[in-house]
Amino acid sequence: MPGENLSRDEARERAGLLSVDGYEVALDLRSAVGDAPADGPRTFRSVTTLRFRANEAGASTFVDLIAPSVTALTLNGEDLDPAAVFDGSRIHLEGLAEDNELVVDAQCAYSRTGEGMHRFVDPEDGEVYLYTQYEPADARRVFANFEQPDLKAPYRFSVQAPQGWTAWSNGAGELVDGVWQFAETKPISTYITTVVAGPYHYVTDSYERAFDDGSKLVIPLGAMCRKGLAPYFDADDIFEITKQGLDFFHDNFDYPYPFGKYDQAFVPEYNLGAMENPGIVTFREEYIFRGKVTTASYERRANVILHEMAHMWFGDLVTMQWWDDLWLKESFADFMGSFSMVEATRFTNGWITFANNRKAWAYRADQLPSTHPVTADIRDLEDAKLNFDGITYAKGASVLKQLVAYVGRDAFLEGARRYFKRHAYGNTRLGDLLSVLEETSGRDMASWSRSWLQTAGVNSLTPQVILSGEGRITELAVVQEATPLAPADHPELRPHRVAVGLYRRTAEGALERYARAEADVDGPRTVIGELAGAEAPELVLVNDDDLTYCKIRFDEQSLATLRERLGDITDPLARALCWSALWNLTRDALMPARDFIGLVLRFAGRESDIGVLQMLHAWARGALVHYVAPEWREEGGRLLAEGALKELRLAEPGSQHQLTWARFFASVASSEADLQLLSGLLAGNAKIDGLEVDQELRWAFLETLTTQGVADEAALAAELDRDDTASGKRHQVRCLASRPSAAVKAQAWAQVVESDALSNALVEATIAGFQQSSQRELTAPYAEKYFAAIERVWADRSIQIGMDVVRGLFPDFQDSPETLSATDAWLTAHEDAAPALRRLVLESRDDLDRALRAQACDVAAAG
């Protein structure tokens, strides 16, 4: 439809008419500091010179720009009346020549939602920081452009900034006569252009690479953050991972990094994890750790650094034609992030995190009513915004992991090398990648693509074991099913390359693998002939080593073994796969949630992998909040708190396991004794040997104490005085909204739903504080208000804030059939609502329906 929501058909028509020669963009950002205007938004001047060609003389088109006003317009030297051709989101052009030059002088608005030119004022020192974020289509909030990925062009930016500031963009910059001038970029898409400006703390390094032909590549490296975070900024570690990644990608891609410098900016109030702008990647500043964190946090940061680096080739050098093929960059970057991290850095257990964490995201997304093929049908920009999901990222990466097992590592990487060289600075679709992989592997990629990329849903694989009277395997088969809870139109059974592992106890009591076979599983039942004659196993693990994308199921003997001996599995990946499978059983209402909590209480204390332990804590709390029978919640919470405190006291003093158990204990504590302990740890008159209660841990304890009514507004004000920083402010806002008071909930609701005064970060914090599982009665009145408000919120607010509100305030803690019926009633009455809005509501409805089924399973198990 016309307006902000560009459709695929409009983009295709425009791309067929135009080609873009280049942009010159001049931004005057001096208005970022100083007093706000008396009325209207704070704005900055944006002057864009856009040179493009049309293949049809006299044709008409439009240029994208979302701005409060346009001061002047000229097309091919002739003035245009802004009031006649600019409608607030598009500049309509008629009578195009073959060669065209458009100059747009506009007043663009600074953002507080993380979309476009975001402006942040640091409460610690009053300094102002700017950065841009565009994907999929917010560059038009900063300069006039053709906002679609297949109209690539070179860009030359210039920035006037307040005195004392530094500015950065995609190209190398220098200050000339008071203006930051940046080198022209290679041809890139609008959504990966960027500007960062402010008094950032900036650290430099360099990367050097010698090639076999005697040439040498030198890449200037930079890393930046707010001045207030400089004491915590471990730039050396960031540069180390960066250099290791550049080594890996140069070793394997045979295409030198093409974008000159490599800056990495850690910026405030960022909506995403990171963004792959060539020459200057932006990250959320939470990857700078103010307190003690576990190895899992450093691993997660390394993975994100490498994910974004992979995009320099997959996404920036070669870009999808339209958002249908978003997977061509995101699936590859997600896979290559883990692949490179395991092979090039100290985080050699990264595939365990992938199996346990990333794939859990994919499994959830692939069972929602909104599930879609990896290659999706993206009708417009609203569809595109919602497709940055667990399918496009984690399932796509899982499918690529399966592809490497299918075609072989060498064929896969050679295909990537040919893909880069053949399509450098261009745009591609699915067939372009498949053709090079067919060349390098000799495999039929069309049939593989139909099964894995062009159908939706996840399969389950279950072992069937027939034993002889002598205790040996007569037959072991793998049964494949479409997920019973999958949408009816996704029944696909797929070819899987799997490993099947057989496990039994050793003399020392460990549960270890004694036999393994790899096989191609295809169709409803596949016999694994290689395992015939093997001794009877205590545990059969289908998809051992995590080669394919599936939900693992167990035969009765294997499940009984896990109930008794899960902690005895010595291989950490196998153990993580078993935990993931048990969680899927719980979510699918095939295992009572209290049983899963019991397994966590029995075996989580023996978990060596800190990332897996953190996932177990998240899953256990999710089971308690959503999946157990409501009448057992109090008892389940008491058991989890007792178990967490026990493990906290047993953990090695000062260890990351101790810190992880401390955080989990705080998240489930509710008894008077537990809350007294948290209060004592905060005050310093209680101690647990080795546990350092730093500022971040203090806020974690305070949130629980506030939610339970122990800490009040004065205590939060005192804590903010102690931590008067941007991070402290977010924590305080979340805690304020978590207080158990009807008046507090009313105020928080009004701040988020009825006002747009809060920034994106504070909207997120307020919603997190408002929604507390222990305060179901307090938030019950807002279920009806939610359904009355969401269509208006979606229409009036930016898409990012709309997504935050619609997802975050859904009444999922009102977990009753009545809430399900109210959701269905809204969906029935709003069939013509924006498809993206309906999708968000449908997804939340599915989560609620799943929770009710799981609760019924838990009730039945209790007798």
Side-chain angles (χ1 to χ4, degrees), residues 65 69-88 90-94 102-105:
L65 176 68
S69 65
V70 172
T71 307
L73 284 166
T74 63
L75 176 64
N76 300 327
E78 294 188 12
D79 293 338
L80 303 179
D81 179 6
V85 299
F86 177 57
D87 64 8
R90 294 181 176 187
I91 300 169
H92 300 273
L93 303 177
E94 296 182 352
L102 177 71
V103 181
V104 181
D105 189 343

Side-chain angles (χ1 to χ4, degrees), residues 717-733:
E719 197 66 27
L720 185 62
D721 286 342
R722 177 190 180 107
D723 182 27
D724 192 10
T725 63
S727 298
K729 182 61 178 177
R730 287 195 300 273
H731 287 306
Q732 186 223 18
V733 166

Side-chain angles (χ1 to χ4, degrees), residues 571-747:
D571 181 76
L573 177 56
R575 199 168 56 243
L577 290 170
C578 289
W579 276 119
S580 178
L582 292 169
W583 177 240
N584 280 321
L585 288 173
T586 305
R587 293 188 73 248
D588 291 347
L590 299 174
M591 170 179 276
R594 69 185 68 191
D595 288 7
F596 182 82
I597 287 174
L599 290 169
V600 171
L601 289 170
R602 287 187 64 189
F603 299 121
R606 298 171 62 182
E607 181 53 58
S608 60
D609 187 283
I610 198 67
V612 172
L613 180 61
Q614 289 171 341
M615 283 300 294
L616 292 180
H617 289 166
W619 289 342
R621 193 169 189 283
L624 177 70
V625 168
H626 295 294
Y627 296 155
V628 302
E631 58 270 19
W632 194 77
R633 279 193 195 118
E634 184 177 347
E635 173 68 6
R638 182 187 65 79
L639 292 172
L640 280 175
E642 287 180 357
L645 183 57
K646 173 189 168 187
E647 296 296 343
L648 170 58
R649 296 190 185 280
L650 288 174
E652 180 184 345
S655 67
Q656 59 182 351
H657 280 69
Q658 184 188 54
L659 175 62
T660 299
W661 281 109
R663 287 188 168 276
F664 182 54
F665 171 66
S667 75
V668 294
S670 62
S671 72
E672 183 178 349
D674 292 343
L675 298 176
Q676 285 178 350
L677 176 58
L678 291 179
S679 297
L681 290 169
L682 270 178
N685 51 36
K687 278 200 169 296
I688 293 176
D689 187 26
L691 182 66
E692 178 187 350
V693 184
D694 61 24
Q695 187 59 63
E696 289 297 299
L697 197 55
R698 288 182 64 85
W699 282 115
F701 290 176
L702 260 175
E703 182 174 3
T704 297
L705 293 171
T706 306
T707 302
Q708 296 295 332
V710 176
D712 59 13
E713 186 174 0
L716 298 176
E719 197 66 27
L720 185 62
D721 286 342
R722 177 190 180 107
D723 182 27
D724 192 10
T725 63
S727 298
K729 182 61 178 177
R730 287 195 300 273
H731 287 306
Q732 186 223 18
V733 166
R734 185 176 66 251
C735 289
L736 284 171
S738 73
R739 289 171 292 161
S741 156
V744 164
K745 299 304 175 187
Q747 181 185 37

Side-chain angles (χ1 to χ4, degrees), residues 51-52 139 145 174 179 218 233 236 273 338 340 356 384 393 399 499 533 558 600 607 642 722 744 754 761 786 806:
R51 298 180 180 89
F52 63 99
N145 62 69
E174 60 177 337
V179 178
V218 178
F233 195 32
D236 288 347
S338 293
S340 59
N356 194 245
Y393 283 73
V399 167
S558 296
V600 171
E607 181 53 58
E642 287 180 357
R722 177 190 180 107
V744 164
E754 308 301 337
Y786 170 87
V806 174

Side-chain angles (χ1 to χ4, degrees), residues 35 55 60-61 155 208 248 322 429 437 448 498 589 596 607 663 680 699 753 806 846:
D35 295 336
N55 58 27
S60 61
T61 190
Y155 294 79
E208 296 185 4
F248 176 87
W322 176 249
R429 302 193 66 181
L437 288 172
W448 177 87
V498 302
F596 182 82
E607 181 53 58
R663 287 188 168 276
W699 282 115
V753 176
V806 174
D846 190 77

Side-chain angles (χ1 to χ4, degrees), residues 385-409:
K385 184 76 171 177
L386 266 64
N387 254 49
F388 290 82
D389 61 10
I391 303 293
T392 302
Y393 283 73
K395 180 182 179 179
S398 303
V399 167
L400 290 176
K401 192 168 186 279
Q402 161 87 342
L403 177 63
V404 173
Y406 179 64
V407 304
R409 173 191 171 119

